[in-house]
Amino acid sequence: MAQRALWLISHEPGTPLRGTVRFSRRYPTVEKRARVFNRASYVPIPEDGPFLKALLFELRLLDDDKDFVESRDSCSRINKTSIYGLLVGGEELWPVVAFLKNDMIYACVPLVEQTLSPRPPLISVSGVSQGFELLYGIQDFLYSGQKNDNELNTKLSQLPDLLLQACPFGTVLDANLQNSLDNTNFASVTQPQKQPAWKPGTYKGKPQVSISITEKVKSMQYDKQGVADTWQVVGTVTCKCDLEGSMPNVTISLSLPTNGSPLQDILVHPCVTSLDSAILTSSSIDAMDDSAFSGPYKFPFTPPLESFNLCYYTSQVPVPPILGFYQMKEEEVQLRITINLKLHESVKNNFEFCEAHIPFFNRGPITHLEYKTSFGQLEVFREKSLLIWIIGQKFPKSMEISLSGTVTFGAKSHEKQPFDPICVGETAYLKLHFRILDYTLTGCYADQHSVQVFASGKPKISAYRKLISSDYYIWNSKAPAPVTYGSLLL
């Protein structure tokens, strides 16, 4: 739902060209998308001159348009929608939204997110309705309260700045340009504040900065002699800075507790202006030692308007948050399962949720289950051959829980039962799903008092953090061979 280009053309009968392009705007990023979506049927946006001539011809506004032209005037081309196809350079540019009002032609070319051959129905092109909305919004802005040509020229000169907010990068956000006018300061026309090309507008309102740290922990545990368990932490720092001015500057510091795990492999957003060399050289490939840089990690940057990922990082934490043991043995028509889970003492025992999913692939539906659990509740999804152990929000004081039982299956139906090419025989796993709010495994946090903001007004600063499980597997210790992340991706 975007616009490739738009034009405002004054209709001037009696002049050599019969019209003048008063304003035009093209969106190169949308044009690249059009080239991808339209493929072989792609027709580029023409220059203003050829477009003006083709549009005036199609609208029958040229003086030499009195004669019948079959390609334009035949009964098969009766137009009731103000949407046209323009012949430019031997190719047809479609769809072109255009209408004449108060001697001004308003036109735009919406993006069609599919091939143009065969031509798709108009109802499937969502950019058409947005194009009409934008053009009518521009018309209302130009002629509301307008008394003479000087006022019209003034409003036309304001359009580039207004469209930065109303239609950044071709996407219509607000067709009411008066709203954008109220948020744009045109007082200092002689010395405008420099606006970076990557920032389509400025923010007006209450200043605030929001910082969110999300860590995802992966784990592959086998409880198998000669096979090492693996785990990995990947962190993302997301920011949203609502600050006035074209180029506000912000510095955020990430800190670690005294026993925290150093951050490594740090990748930063392009808006970060400088970095300590120790941050860039910290790598997970190098062996850990006491000399590893442990912060604080300072990130000075000029924020974009939207929410963005300030940085990514990894960390080599000493232990996974939950240690597990899973054993599954086949006994005739039954499976005997034993599961032990232990929450590490250093981890915050306050979950938003925590549950273990125990799937049984390549088998029939569950027909009978006998089990004993020391904690939590067990849900049975018989047709899906799945057990879900709902642990809840806290582990018991012992930090250890267990589940054991026997599972009996019915006849296998290939259409309904889950299939997995890896989990054959005794190769099986349980997968942990959990989330802990206001906690990170590395201990990383953003100190609200250390955030520096160089902009007008004192902003409200909010900081959040959470730990989420991601691909957290505990494999059957009786499995014949260990399964790695690489084999899961095949």
Side-chain angles (χ1 to χ4, degrees), residues 247-277:
M247 296 284 284
N249 292 310
V250 180
T251 298
I252 289 177
S253 296
L254 302 181
S255 303
L256 297 173
T258 53
N259 60 343
S261 302
L263 309 185
Q264 300 171 320
D265 305 325
I266 297 175
L267 298 175
V268 299
H269 191 274
C271 71
V272 175
T273 54
S274 64
L275 276 179
D276 190 313
S277 59

Side-chain angles (χ1 to χ4, degrees), residues 135-155:
L135 295 179
Y136 279 116
I138 294 174
Q139 177 205 326
D140 292 341
F141 168 72
L142 292 180
Y143 289 95
S144 60
Q146 186 255 331
K147 300 177 181 178
N148 51 50
D149 288 343
N150 289 335
E151 290 187 17
L152 177 62
N153 292 334
T154 300
K155 290 187 175 183

